[in-house]
Amino acid sequence: MSNPKQSKECIFCKIIEGTLPSEKVYEDDRVFAFRDISPQAKTHVLIIPKKHVVDILDVSAEDAHVFSDLLRAVQHIAPQLGIAGTGFRTVFNSGDHACQTIYHLHLHLLGGEQLGGSMVG
Ligand code: AMP
Ligand code: ZN
């Protein structure tokens, strides 16, 4: 039985490894960022930890730097993509009610145009 929550079947782990293609926008030793394949805004990037963790709740105290790693990456990527001045939205989806579809923690970075007033863009 396949389990998409396991790293060996995770498509984001395969993107980090380079065995699946992506349009990379940023990488450092702990973080990888690439354009969303189905963008919900003119600029839509996914920022992920290189370590496979399923969601916010799966981050151990030992790995808590993952959260600051992702937000530090936003500080690099937003100016790089020209959306620092105009503004952007950052979103984590966790679990079924939030419609999480990929079970490797990812921070959505959305901008490049006026977003809707709702939380989900
Ligand atoms: P979520 O609904 O929060 O789990 O978001 C998963 C996101 O991953 C969606 O916005 C998808 O469009 C995006 N996605 C899925 N597969 C790929 C892929 N191969 N490359 C880039 N983005 C992807
Ligand atoms: Zn993964």
Side-chain angles (χ1 to χ4, degrees), residues 7 20 24 38 41-42 49 55 60 72-73 77 80 90 93 97 99 103 105 107-108:
S7 60
L20 272 182
K24 181 170 89 172
S38 177
K42 192 168 172 196
D55 59 18
S60 66
R72 286 288 294 164
I77 296 164
Q80 176 191 331
T90 46
N93 290 323
H97 280 188
C99 303
Y103 289 94
L105 179 67
L107 181 59
H108 294 261

Side-chain angles (χ1 to χ4, degrees), residues 2-121:
S2 72
N3 181 354
K5 294 189 180 183
Q6 288 181 0
S7 60
K8 65 180 186 317
E9 295 168 26
C10 171
I11 67 165
F12 285 1
C13 283
K14 290 181 174 140
I15 283 174
I16 293 164
E17 291 161 13
T19 53
L20 272 182
S22 71
E23 193 178 334
K24 181 170 89 172
V25 299
Y26 177 80
E27 181 175 12
D28 64 31
D29 56 339
R30 292 203 294 243
V31 170
F32 193 89
F34 53 103
R35 292 196 188 268
D36 195 293
I37 203 168
S38 177
Q40 303 300 305
K42 192 168 172 196
T43 300
H44 186 174
V45 167
L46 300 173
I47 307 170
I48 66 178
K50 288 187 172 175
K51 177 168 182 171
H52 179 86
V53 283
V54 170
D55 59 18
I56 290 174
L57 299 178
D58 193 36
V59 177
S60 66
E62 189 176 76
D63 287 335
H65 60 80
V66 160
F67 297 121
S68 55
D69 293 343
L70 297 179
L71 292 171
R72 286 288 294 164
V74 171
Q75 293 181 327
H76 286 279
I77 296 164
Q80 176 191 331
L81 299 183
I83 60 171
T86 46
F88 52 84
R89 181 170 292 155
T90 46
V91 177
F92 286 111
N93 290 323
S94 298
D96 292 343
H97 280 188
C99 303
Q100 183 177 7
T101 57
I102 307 288
Y103 289 94
H104 180 131
L105 179 67
H106 49 280
L107 181 59
H108 294 261
L109 171 61
L110 300 135
E113 63 180 319
Q114 182 63 53
L115 303 175
S118 83
M119 294 293 288
V120 291

